[in-house]
């Protein structure tokens, strides 16, 4: 089992920045990819960004150039730095970990609200 705990959400004005953190515990050695997803009210959960154990990153087109995902393997923590935030970035953000057995783990979510 892998446990994920997110932090760093909040309320920010458009154009501002936030950094989300996700700390993993448990069978962290089994994780191959970690990432972030988000879900706005009335919408489906969507991919935001991911990073592999080797450091390869992938981003949704909607956040490219504004969001940066990174990881600190010594702390088993993944981050997403979110700059130039827009009201449409408002959502609950969920941390995801994908393990070698193709099982997905999810955090409890953290709310990001961007005011116009």
């Amino acid at each position: 089992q892998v446990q994920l705990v997110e932090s760093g959400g909040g309320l920010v004005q458009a154009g501002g920045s936030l950094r989300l953190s996700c700390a993993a515990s448990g069978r962290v050695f089994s994780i191959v990819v970690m990432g972030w997803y988000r879900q706005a009210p009335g919408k489906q959960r969507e991919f935001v960004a991911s990073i592999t154990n080797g450091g390869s990153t992938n981003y949704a087109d909607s956040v490219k150039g504004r969001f940066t995902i990174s990881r600190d393997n010594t702390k088993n923590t993944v981050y997403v730095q979110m700059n130039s935030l827009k009201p449409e970035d408002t959502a609950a953000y969920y941390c995801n970990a994908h393990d070698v057995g193709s099982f997905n783990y999810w955090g409890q979510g953290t709310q990001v609200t961007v005011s116009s």
Side-chain angles (χ1 to χ4, degrees), residues 76-92:
N76 297 317
T77 299
V78 65
Y79 308 94
V80 61
Q81 177 67 42
M82 306 186 295
N83 298 328
S84 302
L85 283 162
K86 305 175 182 180
E88 51 264 44
D89 294 318
T90 295

Side-chain angles (χ1 to χ4, degrees), residues 4-22:
L4 303 172
V5 178
E6 302 106 331
S7 60
L11 173 64
V12 64
Q13 289 188 333
S17 299
L18 282 175
R19 189 178 81 154
L20 305 183
S21 301
C22 173

Side-chain angles (χ1 to χ4, degrees), residues 6-99:
E6 302 106 331
S7 60
L11 173 64
V12 64
Q13 289 188 333
S17 299
L18 282 175
R19 189 178 81 154
L20 305 183
S21 301
C22 173
S25 60
R27 294 173 58 90
V28 295
F29 57 86
S30 68
I31 298 172
V32 294
V33 181
M34 292 189 72
W36 292 92
Y37 288 71
R38 66 187 181 187
Q39 188 168 17
K43 295 188 177 181
Q44 289 189 331
R45 189 171 296 189
E46 64 176 8
F47 169 77
V48 175
S50 65
I51 185 166
T52 68
N53 283 350
S56 295
T57 58
N58 192 26
Y59 296 93
D61 287 343
S62 59
V63 307
K64 279 181 182 176
R66 300 188 298 121
F67 290 14
T68 302
I69 191 169
S70 61
R71 64 191 294 168
D72 184 339
N73 291 329
T74 65
K75 297 181 179 180
N76 297 317
T77 299
V78 65
Y79 308 94
V80 61
Q81 177 67 42
M82 306 186 295
N83 298 328
S84 302
L85 283 162
K86 305 175 182 180
E88 51 264 44
D89 294 318
T90 295
Y93 283 70
Y94 296 89
C95 181
N96 170 269
H98 187 83
D99 74 6

